[in-house]
Amino acid sequence: MKASQSVRRASGEGLPNLPWYSCWLESQLSQQPKELYACVEGFDEEARGGSFDRIKPLYVRISDIIISNDSPSVNNIVEKLLEDGSILASEEVQGLQSAMDLVFSMIGWQTMLYRPDVFSSPPSQFCIADEMDGHRGESHICLKQSRASSSKRLPDFLLGFGLMLPPRNYHTFEDDEEIKIFNRLKSIDPSILNAHLLTTIGGITVSWSDCLACHLELDKNSRTLYIFRYPSFCLATLKNQSADGNVRSVIHSCASDVPSNTHWASSQDVTELLQEIILSYRLLFGKHLKSRKLFRKLHPFKHVPFDGRDDFLSKVCGENELDPSLGIGERDNYELARDFPHLRARLVRLSAYLDERKPRSWKELWLDNRDSASWLTFWAVIIIGGIGLILAFLQVVLQIVQLAMAVRQPNL
């Protein structure tokens, strides 16, 4: 019981040092059924409307277990929590399931790779929320998997839902033409791939997501681009370095330590992925004037309490220049294999989608300046040709007037 008391006295030091995160976490906790907290001693309905002081120490303890152990399984984490008295669970199946569901939920909230869907979870399965309105992108291919997978190490367990942490230069394209485009497209720049062009020429609607894994997922059928709206989570995680220079976090502990694993990110890959996510906001919004203006018209935190909003999103998307101390390696032109190896496939998909879209009105023709040489040539021909037609028309009118005057003159 001494260990249990120690856990209860623990503060929220394991929580990310982000103003919005506590508000966001409390919102997630309040949406869950009361049965999820059956294993938490002293947690009742009245506590659900409070500060969740009973849950935050457990959050910290779960974080410590994940970081200090070599990719533990959900079962391993539950066992350690039971051993030190952090949770109380009867030996009945229902009691253990409640403990596993809570740990499963905490992992999702700590990594922001998914949100649990306990309401839809049958006794034999784990379920995650549908973040993309029915679309099954590479990050969330499956929303359910067997509860038996709780014995797997975290990288293998999470892979059961989808490619939440992609390795370098990995893609899931099956179409030969898409594979050719992936291999052919070497670089991109903000002038030809940005939010302004995607929304005007591509007809794309931006959907802001709470899920990091869904960042830059594109649903072609609904023309929806999903963008993670809490970039400061990535920045805060990257700053959480240990004395040896390595980043220590729960999401890094979900990386694979198997060199031969080509389907899941390593710890270094996770660091690079978080850097790329931050940089992608600059590509799509920050480095393009019309895209910055577009962002100011969007409402990424609509219906979200003021305390739950990430101010860094406005800076990274709405400002032309960022503080150099942030270490965001901005460029005028980005090489995909160097600057976006983990988001490469998603950016290639966006670029290919935009290339397929052709302007369908004079307004779109004017806005579509992806190929500046062709754009200038086209409008030069239109303008010069238009002026030529106007002059030719005026010349015809003058000739008609002169002819009319000449016909009338002999009669005078």
Side-chain angles (χ1 to χ4, degrees):
M1 188 60 71
K2 183 178 180 180
S4 175
Q5 293 172 349
S6 176
V7 170
R8 293 194 197 100
R9 288 195 302 267
S11 66
E13 294 177 356
L15 295 170
N17 186 24
L18 298 166
W20 56 266
Y21 187 79
S22 293
C23 178
W24 180 85
L25 180 59
E26 289 189 4
S27 173
Q28 302 305 310
L29 290 165
S30 64
Q31 296 173 29
Q32 308 307 316
K34 65 179 182 179
E35 290 78 13
L36 183 66
Y37 310 109
C39 60
V40 182
E41 184 181 7
F43 190 90
D44 52 31
E45 282 297 302
E46 293 182 359
R48 287 165 60 84
S51 62
F52 300 99
D53 290 334
R54 298 270 180 187
I55 292 296
K56 288 183 180 179
L58 181 60
Y59 177 107
V60 175
R61 178 60 182 139
I62 292 175
S63 174
D64 289 341
I65 293 173
I66 295 174
I67 293 174
S68 60
N69 288 271
D70 184 20
S71 298
S73 66
V74 172
N75 287 351
N76 294 149
I77 300 171
V78 171
E79 289 171 1
K80 291 183 179 296
L81 292 175
L82 289 171
E83 287 175 2
D84 62 24
S86 299
I87 60 174
L88 302 175
S90 63
E91 296 183 358
E92 298 177 0
V93 174
Q94 186 175 0
L96 292 175
Q97 286 182 350
S98 173
M100 286 192 290
D101 283 337
L102 183 57
V103 169
F104 168 67
S105 300
M106 287 285 187
I107 294 171
W109 296 328
Q110 292 181 7
T111 62
M112 300 196 80
L113 293 174
Y114 63 88
R115 289 189 296 173
D117 185 7
V118 181
F119 286 103
S120 302
S121 178
S124 60
Q125 292 180 320
F126 291 110
C127 297
I128 61 176
D130 183 0
E131 302 284 351
M132 295 182 284
D133 303 315
H135 173 64
R136 293 292 168 268
E138 62 184 24
S139 60
H140 287 176
I141 298 175
C142 301
L143 299 182
K144 299 179 180 181
Q145 65 170 310
S146 171
R147 194 172 288 271
S149 60
S150 61
S151 61
K152 295 181 179 178
R153 300 173 71 222
L154 286 181
D156 300 318
F157 172 70
L158 296 177
L159 184 58
F161 292 109
L163 196 61
M164 297 182 181
L165 295 174
R168 295 174 62 89
N169 300 310
Y170 185 85
H171 69 81
T172 57
F173 297 130
E174 296 181 354
D175 183 77
D176 291 340
E177 188 60 32
E178 290 181 325
I179 296 175
K180 289 180 181 179
I181 295 173
F182 179 86
N183 293 325
R184 183 175 65 244
L185 186 61
K186 302 298 182 181
S187 63
I188 52 175
D189 66 73
S191 66
I192 61 173
L193 182 62
N194 55 66
H196 174 71
L197 288 175
L198 286 169
T199 55
T200 55
I201 305 302
I204 290 291
T205 299
V206 174
S207 178
W208 299 97
S209 174
D210 287 6
C211 182
L212 182 150
C214 298
H215 184 65
L216 296 188
E217 286 274 23
L218 174 64
D219 182 358
K220 291 184 179 181
N221 294 328
S222 65
R223 297 181 186 176
T224 302
L225 176 63
Y226 297 91
I227 299 180
F228 182 52
R229 60 180 168 186
Y230 292 106
S232 65
F233 178 83
C234 302
L235 193 63
T237 302
L238 290 170
K239 290 182 178 180
N240 190 24
Q241 291 187 346
S242 59
D244 58 4
N246 295 321
V247 181
R248 293 175 59 82
S249 70
V250 175
I251 193 171
H252 280 83
S253 298
C254 294
S256 173
D257 57 0
V258 180
S260 59
N261 190 342
T262 59
H263 301 287
W264 197 258
S266 65
S267 181
Q268 178 59 32
D269 288 334
V270 173
T271 296
E272 294 173 358
L273 174 62
L274 297 175
Q275 294 170 339
E276 290 175 33
I277 290 175
I278 298 174
L279 191 60
S280 68
Y281 297 99
R282 304 300 294 162
L283 169 67
L284 294 182
F285 291 99
K287 301 304 292 183
H288 188 257
L289 176 60
K290 292 182 178 179
S291 296
R292 292 198 299 272
K293 291 181 177 179
L294 169 66
F295 173 77
R296 297 183 189 112
K297 297 178 182 179
L298 300 176
H299 303 282
F301 296 104
K302 188 176 183 180
H303 305 309
V304 175
F306 183 79
D307 291 342
R309 300 178 182 184
D310 186 359
D311 294 336
F312 184 59
L313 180 65
S314 297
K315 293 181 180 180
V316 77
C317 292
E319 296 183 4
N320 184 33
E321 301 293 338
L322 284 180
D323 185 349
S325 64
L326 295 176
I328 301 175
E330 298 183 84
R331 308 174 190 271
D332 294 329
N333 185 277
Y334 297 99
E335 293 184 15
L336 290 174
R338 177 193 64 196
D339 300 309
F340 291 103
H342 304 88
L343 295 177
R344 180 178 178 181
R346 301 185 190 186
L347 291 174
V348 167
R349 186 178 288 110
L350 279 176
S351 179
Y353 171 83
L354 199 54
D355 288 342
E356 294 172 356
R357 303 286 296 179
K358 303 299 180 184
R360 295 167 294 176
S361 65
W362 287 104
K363 181 180 179 181
E364 289 186 358
L365 281 170
W366 176 256
L367 294 172
D368 186 12
N369 60 351
R370 287 173 286 177
D371 187 338
S372 57
S374 298
W375 185 85
L376 289 171
T377 302
F378 175 81
W379 285 107
V381 170
I382 292 294
I383 294 172
I384 295 173
I387 293 174
L389 287 173
I390 293 172
L391 292 175
F393 176 74
L394 292 174
Q395 185 177 11
V396 171
V397 171
L398 289 173
Q399 289 177 347
I400 292 173
V401 172
Q402 290 175 349
L403 180 61
M405 293 179 66
V407 170
R408 292 177 59 189
Q409 193 171 13
N411 297 329
L412 297 175

